[in-house]
Amino acid sequence: MLKTVLKQLKSHPALIPLFIFIGGGATMSMLYLGRLALKNPDCSWDRKNNPEPWNKIGPNDQYKLFAVNMDYSKLKKDRPDF
């Protein structure tokens, strides 16, 4: 199969950018999915030691990938301890 794809790419060089962008998009989506699975507090992998990881986040911890107009260092705690 790979041999057929390489043969097609040699005969149609206009397909090379298509393969590059599709491969890059697939790679970035898998990396983002891995980041969500490992860094997001909504996802709990260890239920025995940390059953509710969203309660352990401080008010100034940033877990979002991109924050537009939010300065997390100036936030104060506005929720109770559990």
Side-chain angles (χ1 to χ4, degrees):
M1 172 137 172
L2 185 61
K3 197 174 193 180
T4 309
V5 171
L6 290 175
K7 182 180 172 187
Q8 289 292 323
L9 285 177
K10 286 181 183 177
S11 64
H12 301 290
L15 292 176
I16 293 173
L18 178 70
F19 276 85
I20 290 172
F21 284 107
I22 294 291
T27 302
M28 286 190 291
S29 66
M30 292 304 292
L31 287 173
Y32 183 67
L33 185 65
R35 184 191 180 280
L36 282 178
L38 296 174
K39 299 288 184 182
N40 199 354
D42 295 334
C43 184
S44 177
W45 290 92
D46 188 12
R47 291 185 186 176
K48 187 167 68 170
N49 295 328
N50 193 7
E52 296 176 343
W54 49 89
N55 286 336
K56 305 256 186 215
I57 295 177
N60 55 359
D61 292 339
Q62 179 181 357
Y63 67 91
K64 290 185 177 183
L65 183 65
F66 182 70
V68 179
N69 291 327
M70 183 67 79
D71 187 14
Y72 285 93
S73 64
K74 295 180 181 177
L75 290 178
K76 296 179 182 173
K77 186 174 182 180
D78 61 348
R79 55 186 179 224
D81 289 329
F82 290 105

Coordinates of all heavy atoms in Angstrom, one line a residue:
M1 N 0.8 -1.2 0.0 CA 0.0 0.0 0.0 C 0.9 1.3 0.0 O 0.6 2.2 -0.7 CB -0.9 0.0 1.2 CG -1.7 1.3 1.4 SD -3.3 1.0 1.8 CE -3.8 2.6 2.2
L2 N 1.9 1.3 0.8 CA 2.8 2.4 0.9 C 3.5 2.6 -0.5 O 3.7 3.7 -0.9 CB 3.8 2.3 2.0 CG 4.7 3.4 2.3 CD1 3.9 4.7 2.7 CD2 5.7 3.1 3.3
K3 N 3.8 1.5 -1.1 CA 4.5 1.6 -2.4 C 3.6 2.2 -3.4 O 4.0 3.0 -4.3 CB 4.8 0.1 -2.8 CG 5.8 0.1 -3.9 CD 6.2 -1.4 -4.1 CE 7.5 -1.5 -5.0 NZ 7.9 -2.9 -5.2
T4 N 2.3 1.9 -3.4 CA 1.3 2.5 -4.3 C 1.2 4.0 -4.0 O 1.1 4.8 -5.0 CB -0.1 1.8 -4.1 OG1 0.1 0.4 -4.2 CG2 -1.0 2.3 -5.2
V5 N 1.1 4.4 -2.8 CA 1.0 5.8 -2.4 C 2.2 6.6 -2.9 O 2.1 7.7 -3.5 CB 0.8 6.0 -0.9 CG1 0.9 7.5 -0.5 CG2 -0.5 5.4 -0.5
L6 N 3.4 6.0 -2.7 CA 4.7 6.7 -3.2 C 4.7 6.8 -4.7 O 5.2 7.8 -5.3 CB 5.9 6.0 -2.7 CG 6.1 6.1 -1.2 CD1 7.3 5.2 -0.8 CD2 6.4 7.5 -0.8
K7 N 4.2 5.8 -5.4 CA 4.1 5.8 -6.9 C 3.2 6.9 -7.3 O 3.5 7.6 -8.3 CB 3.7 4.4 -7.4 CG 3.6 4.3 -8.9 CD 3.1 3.0 -9.3 CE 2.9 2.9 -10.8 NZ 2.3 1.6 -11.2
Q8 N 2.0 7.1 -6.6 CA 1.1 8.1 -7.0 C 1.7 9.5 -6.7 O 1.4 10.4 -7.5 CB -0.2 7.9 -6.2 CG -1.0 6.8 -6.7 CD -1.6 7.0 -8.1 OE1 -2.0 8.1 -8.4 NE2 -1.6 5.9 -8.8
L9 N 2.4 9.6 -5.6 CA 3.0 10.9 -5.3 C 4.1 11.3 -6.3 O 4.3 12.5 -6.6 CB 3.6 10.9 -3.9 CG 2.6 11.0 -2.8 CD1 3.3 10.9 -1.4 CD2 1.8 12.3 -2.8
K10 N 4.8 10.3 -6.8 CA 5.8 10.6 -7.8 C 5.2 11.0 -9.2 O 5.7 11.9 -9.9 CB 6.7 9.4 -8.1 CG 7.7 9.2 -6.9 CD 8.6 8.0 -7.2 CE 9.5 7.8 -6.0 NZ 10.4 6.6 -6.1
S11 N 4.1 10.4 -9.5 CA 3.4 10.8 -10.7 C 2.5 12.0 -10.6 O 2.3 12.7 -11.6 CB 2.6 9.6 -11.3 OG 1.5 9.3 -10.4
H12 N 2.1 12.3 -9.4 CA 1.2 13.5 -9.2 C 1.8 14.4 -8.1 O 1.4 14.2 -6.9 CB -0.2 13.2 -8.9 CG -0.9 12.3 -9.9 ND1 -1.3 12.8 -11.1 CD2 -1.3 11.0 -9.9 CE1 -1.8 11.9 -11.9 NE2 -1.8 10.8 -11.1
P13 N 2.8 15.2 -8.3 CA 3.5 15.9 -7.2 C 2.6 17.0 -6.6 O 2.9 17.5 -5.5 CB 4.7 16.6 -7.9 CG 4.4 16.6 -9.4 CD 3.4 15.4 -9.6
A14 N 1.5 17.3 -7.2 CA 0.5 18.3 -6.6 C -0.1 17.7 -5.3 O -0.7 18.5 -4.6 CB -0.5 18.7 -7.6
L15 N -0.1 16.4 -5.1 CA -0.7 15.8 -4.0 C 0.2 15.9 -2.7 O -0.3 15.6 -1.6 CB -1.0 14.3 -4.2 CG -2.1 14.0 -5.3 CD1 -2.2 12.5 -5.5 CD2 -3.4 14.6 -4.8
I16 N 1.5 16.2 -2.9 CA 2.4 16.3 -1.7 C 1.9 17.3 -0.7 O 1.9 16.9 0.5 CB 3.8 16.6 -2.2 CG1 4.3 15.4 -3.0 CG2 4.7 16.8 -1.0 CD1 5.6 15.6 -3.7
P17 N 1.5 18.5 -1.0 CA 1.0 19.4 0.1 C -0.2 18.9 0.8 O -0.4 19.1 2.0 CB 0.7 20.7 -0.7 CG 1.5 20.7 -1.9 CD 1.6 19.2 -2.3
L18 N -1.1 18.2 0.0 CA -2.3 17.6 0.6 C -1.9 16.6 1.7 O -2.4 16.6 2.8 CB -3.1 16.9 -0.4 CG -4.4 16.2 0.0 CD1 -5.4 17.3 0.5 CD2 -5.0 15.4 -1.1
F19 N -0.9 15.7 1.4 CA -0.5 14.7 2.4 C 0.2 15.4 3.6 O 0.0 14.9 4.7 CB 0.5 13.7 1.7 CG -0.3 12.6 1.0 CD1 -0.7 12.7 -0.3 CD2 -0.5 11.4 1.6 CE1 -1.3 11.7 -1.0 CE2 -1.1 10.4 1.0 CZ -1.6 10.5 -0.3
I20 N 0.9 16.4 3.3 CA 1.6 17.1 4.4 C 0.6 17.8 5.4 O 0.7 17.6 6.6 CB 2.6 18.2 3.9 CG1 3.8 17.5 3.2 CG2 3.1 19.1 5.0 CD1 4.7 18.4 2.5
F21 N -0.4 18.5 4.8 CA -1.4 19.1 5.7 C -2.3 18.1 6.4 O -2.7 18.3 7.5 CB -2.2 20.1 4.9 CG -1.5 21.4 4.6 CD1 -1.0 21.7 3.3 CD2 -1.2 22.3 5.6 CE1 -0.3 22.8 3.1 CE2 -0.5 23.5 5.4 CZ 0.0 23.7 4.1
I22 N -2.7 17.1 5.7 CA -3.6 16.1 6.3 C -2.8 15.4 7.5 O -3.3 15.2 8.6 CB -4.1 15.0 5.3 CG1 -5.0 15.7 4.3 CG2 -4.7 13.8 6.0 CD1 -6.3 16.1 4.9
G23 N -1.5 15.0 7.2 CA -0.7 14.4 8.2 C -0.4 15.3 9.4 O -0.5 14.9 10.6
G24 N -0.2 16.6 9.1 CA 0.0 17.6 10.2 C -1.2 17.8 11.0 O -1.1 17.9 12.3
G25 N -2.4 17.9 10.4 CA -3.6 18.0 11.1 C -3.9 16.8 12.0 O -4.4 17.0 13.1
A26 N -3.7 15.6 11.5 CA -3.9 14.4 12.3 C -3.0 14.4 13.5 O -3.4 14.0 14.6 CB -3.7 13.2 11.4
T27 N -1.7 14.8 13.3 CA -0.7 14.8 14.4 C -1.1 15.8 15.4 O -1.1 15.5 16.6 CB 0.7 15.1 13.8 OG1 1.0 14.1 12.8 CG2 1.7 15.1 14.9
M28 N -1.5 17.0 15.0 CA -1.9 18.0 16.0 C -3.2 17.6 16.8 O -3.3 17.9 18.0 CB -2.1 19.4 15.3 CG -0.8 20.0 14.9 SD -0.9 21.7 14.4 CE -1.7 21.5 12.8
S29 N -4.1 17.0 16.1 CA -5.3 16.6 16.8 C -5.0 15.5 17.8 O -5.6 15.5 18.9 CB -6.4 16.1 15.8 OG -6.0 15.0 15.1
M30 N -4.1 14.6 17.5 CA -3.8 13.5 18.4 C -3.0 14.1 19.6 O -3.2 13.7 20.8 CB -2.9 12.5 17.8 CG -3.7 11.6 16.8 SD -5.2 10.9 17.4 CE -4.4 9.7 18.5
L31 N -2.1 15.1 19.4 CA -1.4 15.7 20.5 C -2.4 16.5 21.4 O -2.2 16.5 22.6 CB -0.3 16.7 19.9 CG 0.9 16.0 19.3 CD1 1.8 17.1 18.7 CD2 1.6 15.2 20.4
Y32 N -3.4 17.2 20.8 CA -4.3 17.9 21.6 C -5.2 16.9 22.4 O -5.5 17.2 23.6 CB -5.2 18.8 20.7 CG -6.2 19.6 21.5 CD1 -5.7 20.6 22.4 CD2 -7.5 19.4 21.4 CE1 -6.6 21.4 23.1 CE2 -8.4 20.1 22.2 CZ -8.0 21.1 23.0 OH -8.9 21.9 23.7
L33 N -5.6 15.8 21.8 CA -6.4 14.8 22.5 C -5.6 14.3 23.7 O -6.1 14.1 24.8 CB -6.8 13.7 21.6 CG -7.7 12.7 22.1 CD1 -9.0 13.3 22.5 CD2 -7.9 11.6 21.1
G34 N -4.3 14.0 23.5 CA -3.4 13.6 24.6 C -3.3 14.6 25.7 O -3.3 14.3 26.9
R35 N -3.2 15.9 25.3 CA -3.1 16.9 26.3 C -4.4 17.0 27.1 O -4.4 17.2 28.4 CB -2.9 18.3 25.7 CG -2.7 19.4 26.7 CD -2.7 20.8 26.0 NE -2.5 21.8 26.9 CZ -3.5 22.3 27.7 NH1 -4.7 21.8 27.6 NH2 -3.3 23.3 28.6
L36 N -5.6 16.9 26.5 CA -6.8 16.9 27.2 C -6.9 15.7 28.2 O -7.4 15.9 29.3 CB -8.0 16.8 26.2 CG -8.4 18.1 25.5 CD1 -9.5 17.9 24.5 CD2 -8.8 19.2 26.5
A37 N -6.5 14.6 27.7 CA -6.6 13.4 28.6 C -5.6 13.5 29.8 O -5.9 12.9 30.9 CB -6.2 12.1 27.8
L38 N -4.5 14.1 29.7 CA -3.5 14.2 30.8 C -3.6 15.4 31.6 O -3.3 15.3 32.8 CB -2.1 14.0 30.2 CG -1.8 12.7 29.5 CD1 -0.5 12.7 28.8 CD2 -2.0 11.5 30.4
K39 N -4.0 16.5 31.1 CA -3.9 17.8 31.8 C -5.2 18.4 32.3 O -5.3 19.2 33.1 CB -3.2 18.9 31.0 CG -1.8 18.6 30.6 CD -0.9 18.7 31.8 CE 0.5 18.5 31.3 NZ 1.4 18.5 32.5
N40 N -6.3 17.9 31.7 CA -7.6 18.4 32.0 C -8.1 17.9 33.4 O -8.1 16.7 33.6 CB -8.6 18.1 31.0 CG -9.8 19.0 31.0 OD1 -10.0 19.8 31.8 ND2 -10.7 18.8 30.0
P41 N -8.6 18.8 34.3 CA -9.0 18.3 35.6 C -10.4 17.5 35.5 O -10.8 16.9 36.5 CB -9.2 19.6 36.4 CG -9.4 20.6 35.4 CD -8.7 20.2 34.2
D42 N -11.1 17.6 34.4 CA -12.3 16.8 34.3 C -12.1 15.4 34.1 O -13.0 14.6 34.2 CB -13.2 17.4 33.1 CG -13.6 18.8 33.4 OD1 -13.7 19.2 34.6 OD2 -13.8 19.6 32.4
C43 N -10.9 15.0 33.7 CA -10.6 13.6 33.4 C -9.8 13.0 34.6 O -8.8 13.4 34.9 CB -9.7 13.5 32.1 SG -9.4 11.9 31.6
S44 N -10.4 12.0 35.2 CA -9.8 11.3 36.3 C -9.2 10.0 36.0 O -10.0 9.0 35.7 CB -10.8 11.2 37.5 OG -10.3 10.6 38.6
W45 N -7.9 9.8 36.0 CA -7.3 8.5 35.7 C -7.1 7.7 37.0 O -7.0 6.5 36.9 CB -6.0 8.7 35.0 CG -6.1 9.2 33.6 CD1 -6.2 10.5 33.2 CD2 -6.4 8.5 32.4 NE1 -6.4 10.7 31.9 CE2 -6.5 9.4 31.4 CE3 -6.5 7.1 32.1 CZ2 -6.7 9.0 30.0 CZ3 -6.7 6.8 30.8 CH2 -6.8 7.7 29.8
D46 N -6.9 8.3 38.1 CA -6.6 7.6 39.4 C -7.7 7.9 40.3 O -7.7 8.8 41.1 CB -5.2 8.2 39.9 CG -4.8 7.4 41.1 OD1 -5.3 6.3 41.3 OD2 -3.8 7.8 41.7
R47 N -8.7 7.0 40.3 CA -9.9 7.2 41.2 C -9.6 6.9 42.6 O -10.3 7.4 43.5 CB -11.0 6.4 40.7 CG -11.5 6.9 39.3 CD -12.7 6.1 38.9 NE -13.2 6.5 37.6 CZ -14.1 5.9 37.0 NH1 -14.8 5.0 37.5 NH2 -14.5 6.3 35.8
K48 N -8.6 6.1 42.9 CA -8.4 5.7 44.3 C -7.7 6.8 45.1 O -8.1 7.1 46.2 CB -7.5 4.4 44.3 CG -7.4 3.8 45.7 CD -6.8 2.4 45.7 CE -5.4 2.4 45.2 NZ -4.7 1.1 45.4
N49 N -6.6 7.4 44.5 CA -5.9 8.4 45.2 C -6.4 9.8 45.0 O -6.3 10.7 45.9 CB -4.4 8.4 44.8 CG -3.7 7.1 45.2 OD1 -4.1 6.5 46.2 ND2 -2.8 6.6 44.3
N50 N -7.0 10.1 43.9 CA -7.5 11.4 43.6 C -8.9 11.3 42.9 O -9.0 11.5 41.7 CB -6.5 12.2 42.8 CG -6.8 13.7 42.7 OD1 -7.7 14.2 43.4 ND2 -6.1 14.4 41.9
P51 N -10.0 11.0 43.6 CA -11.3 10.8 42.9 C -11.9 12.0 42.3 O -12.6 11.9 41.4 CB -12.1 10.2 44.0 CG -11.6 10.7 45.3 CD -10.1 10.8 45.1
E52 N -11.6 13.2 42.9 CA -12.2 14.4 42.4 C -11.0 15.4 42.1 O -10.8 16.3 42.9 CB -13.2 15.0 43.4 CG -14.4 14.1 43.5 CD -15.3 14.6 44.6 OE1 -14.9 15.5 45.4 OE2 -16.5 14.1 44.6
P53 N -10.3 15.4 41.0 CA -9.2 16.2 40.8 C -9.6 17.7 40.6 O -8.7 18.6 40.7 CB -8.6 15.7 39.5 CG -9.6 14.9 38.8 CD -10.5 14.4 39.9
W54 N -10.8 18.0 40.2 CA -11.2 19.4 40.0 C -11.3 20.2 41.3 O -11.3 21.4 41.3 CB -12.6 19.4 39.3 CG -13.6 18.6 39.9 CD1 -14.5 18.9 40.9 CD2 -13.9 17.2 39.6 NE1 -15.3 17.9 41.2 CE2 -14.9 16.8 40.4 CE3 -13.3 16.3 38.7 CZ2 -15.4 15.5 40.4 CZ3 -13.9 15.1 38.6 CH2 -14.9 14.7 39.5
N55 N -11.3 19.5 42.5 CA -11.3 20.1 43.8 C -9.9 20.5 44.2 O -9.8 21.3 45.1 CB -12.0 19.3 44.8 CG -13.5 19.2 44.7 OD1 -14.1 20.1 44.1 ND2 -14.0 18.1 45.2
K56 N -8.9 19.9 43.6 CA -7.5 20.2 44.0 C -6.9 21.4 43.2 O -5.8 21.8 43.5 CB -6.7 19.0 43.8 CG -7.2 17.8 44.4 CD -6.4 17.4 45.7 CE -6.9 16.1 46.2 NZ -6.9 16.0 47.6
I57 N -7.6 22.0 42.3 CA -7.1 23.1 41.5 C -7.2 24.4 42.3 O -8.3 24.7 42.8 CB -7.8 23.2 40.2 CG1 -7.6 21.9 39.3 CG2 -7.4 24.4 39.4 CD1 -8.3 21.9 38.0
G58 N -6.2 25.1 42.3 CA -6.2 26.4 43.0 C -6.9 27.5 42.1 O -7.0 27.2 40.9
P59 N -7.2 28.6 42.7 CA -7.9 29.6 41.8 C -7.0 30.3 40.8 O -7.5 30.8 39.8 CB -8.4 30.6 42.9 CG -7.5 30.4 44.0 CD -7.1 29.0 44.0
N60 N -5.7 30.2 41.0 CA -4.8 30.8 40.0 C -4.1 29.8 39.1 O -3.1 30.1 38.5 CB -3.8 31.7 40.7 CG -3.0 31.0 41.8 OD1 -3.2 29.8 42.0 ND2 -2.1 31.7 42.4
D61 N -4.6 28.6 39.1 CA -4.0 27.6 38.2 C -4.7 27.6 36.8 O -5.9 27.6 36.7 CB -4.2 26.1 38.7 CG -3.4 25.9 40.0 OD1 -2.4 26.7 40.2 OD2 -3.7 25.0 40.8
Q62 N -3.9 27.8 35.8 CA -4.5 27.8 34.4 C -4.3 26.4 33.8 O -3.3 25.9 33.7 CB -3.7 28.8 33.6 CG -4.2 28.8 32.1 CD -3.5 29.8 31.3 OE1 -2.6 30.5 31.7 NE2 -3.8 29.9 30.0
Y63 N -5.5 25.8 33.4 CA -5.4 24.5 32.8 C -6.0 24.6 31.3 O -5.9 23.7 30.6 CB -6.2 23.5 33.6 CG -7.7 23.7 33.6 CD1 -8.6 23.2 32.7 CD2 -8.3 24.5 34.6 CE1 -9.9 23.4 32.7 CE2 -9.6 24.7 34.7 CZ -10.4 24.1 33.7 OH -11.8 24.3 33.7
K64 N -6.5 25.8 31.0 CA -6.9 26.0 29.6 C -5.7 26.2 28.7 O -4.6 26.7 29.1 CB -7.8 27.2 29.5 CG -9.1 27.0 30.1 CD -10.0 28.2 29.9 CE -11.4 28.0 30.5 NZ -12.3 29.1 30.2
L65 N -5.8 25.8 27.4 CA -4.7 26.0 26.5 C -4.5 27.4 26.1 O -3.4 27.9 26.0 CB -5.1 25.1 25.2 CG -4.0 25.1 24.1 CD1 -2.7 24.4 24.7 CD2 -4.5 24.4 22.9
F66 N -5.6 28.2 26.0 CA -5.5 29.6 25.5 C -6.5 30.4 26.3 O -7.7 30.1 26.2 CB -5.7 29.6 24.0 CG -5.6 31.0 23.4 CD1 -4.4 31.6 23.4 CD2 -6.7 31.7 23.0 CE1 -4.3 32.9 22.8 CE2 -6.6 32.9 22.4 CZ -5.4 33.5 22.4
A67 N -6.1 31.4 27.0 CA -6.9 32.3 27.7 C -6.8 33.7 27.1 O -5.7 34.3 27.1 CB -6.6 32.4 29.2
V68 N -7.9 34.3 26.6 CA -7.8 35.6 25.9 C -7.5 36.8 26.8 O -6.5 37.4 26.8 CB -9.1 35.8 25.1 CG1 -9.0 37.1 24.4 CG2 -9.3 34.7 24.1
N69 N -8.5 37.1 27.7 CA -8.4 38.2 28.6 C -8.4 37.9 30.1 O -9.0 38.5 30.9 CB -9.5 39.2 28.3 CG -9.4 39.8 26.9 OD1 -8.3 40.1 26.5 ND2 -10.5 40.1 26.3
M70 N -7.7 36.8 30.5 CA -7.8 36.3 31.8 C -6.4 36.3 32.4 O -5.5 35.7 31.9 CB -8.4 34.9 31.9 CG -8.6 34.4 33.3 SD -9.8 35.3 34.3 CE -11.3 34.6 33.6
D71 N -6.2 37.0 33.6 CA -4.9 36.9 34.3 C -5.2 36.1 35.5 O -5.8 36.5 36.5 CB -4.5 38.3 34.7 CG -3.1 38.3 35.3 OD1 -2.4 37.3 35.1 OD2 -2.7 39.4 35.8
Y72 N -4.7 34.8 35.5 CA -5.0 33.8 36.5 C -4.2 34.1 37.8 O -4.5 33.7 38.8 CB -4.6 32.4 36.0 CG -5.6 31.9 35.1 CD1 -5.5 32.0 33.7 CD2 -6.8 31.2 35.6 CE1 -6.5 31.6 32.8 CE2 -7.7 30.7 34.7 CZ -7.6 30.9 33.4 OH -8.5 30.4 32.5
S73 N -3.1 34.9 37.7 CA -2.4 35.2 38.9 C -3.1 36.2 39.9 O -2.8 36.2 41.1 CB -1.0 35.8 38.5 OG -1.2 37.1 37.9
K74 N -4.1 36.9 39.4 CA -4.8 37.9 40.2 C -6.1 37.4 40.8 O -6.8 38.1 41.5 CB -5.1 39.2 39.5 CG -3.8 39.9 39.1 CD -4.1 41.1 38.3 CE -2.8 41.8 37.9 NZ -3.1 43.0 37.1
L75 N -6.5 36.1 40.5 CA -7.7 35.6 41.0 C -7.6 35.2 42.4 O -6.6 34.7 42.9 CB -8.1 34.4 40.2 CG -8.5 34.6 38.7 CD1 -8.8 33.3 38.0 CD2 -9.7 35.6 38.7
K76 N -8.7 35.4 43.2 CA -8.8 35.0 44.6 C -9.7 33.8 44.7 O -10.6 33.5 43.9 CB -9.4 36.1 45.4 CG -8.4 37.3 45.4 CD -9.0 38.4 46.2 CE -8.0 39.6 46.1 NZ -8.6 40.8 46.8
K77 N -9.6 33.1 45.8 CA -10.4 31.9 46.0 C -11.9 32.3 46.4 O -12.1 33.1 47.3 CB -9.8 31.1 47.2 CG -10.5 29.8 47.4 CD -9.8 29.0 48.4 CE -10.5 27.6 48.6 NZ -9.8 26.8 49.5
D78 N -12.8 31.8 45.6 CA -14.2 32.1 45.9 C -15.1 30.9 46.0 O -16.3 30.9 45.8 CB -14.8 33.0 44.8 CG -14.7 32.3 43.4 OD1 -14.1 31.2 43.3 OD2 -15.3 32.8 42.5
R79 N -14.5 29.8 46.4 CA -15.2 28.6 46.6 C -14.8 27.9 47.9 O -13.7 28.1 48.4 CB -15.0 27.7 45.4 CG -13.6 27.4 45.1 CD -13.5 26.6 43.9 NE -12.0 26.3 43.7 CZ -11.4 26.4 42.5 NH1 -12.1 26.8 41.4 NH2 -10.2 26.2 42.4
P80 N -15.7 27.1 48.4 CA -15.4 26.4 49.7 C -14.4 25.2 49.5 O -14.3 24.7 48.4 CB -16.7 25.9 50.2 CG -17.5 25.8 49.0 CD -17.1 26.8 48.0
D81 N -13.8 24.8 50.6 CA -13.0 23.6 50.6 C -13.8 22.4 50.9 O -14.8 22.4 51.7 CB -11.9 23.7 51.7 CG -10.8 24.7 51.4 OD1 -10.5 24.9 50.2 OD2 -10.3 25.3 52.3
F82 N -13.5 21.3 50.2 CA -14.2 20.0 50.4 C -13.3 19.0 50.9 O -12.2 18.9 50.6 CB -14.9 19.5 49.1 CG -16.0 20.4 48.7 CD1 -15.9 21.2 47.6 CD2 -17.2 20.3 49.3 CE1 -17.0 22.0 47.2 CE2 -18.3 21.0 48.9 CZ -18.2 21.9 47.9

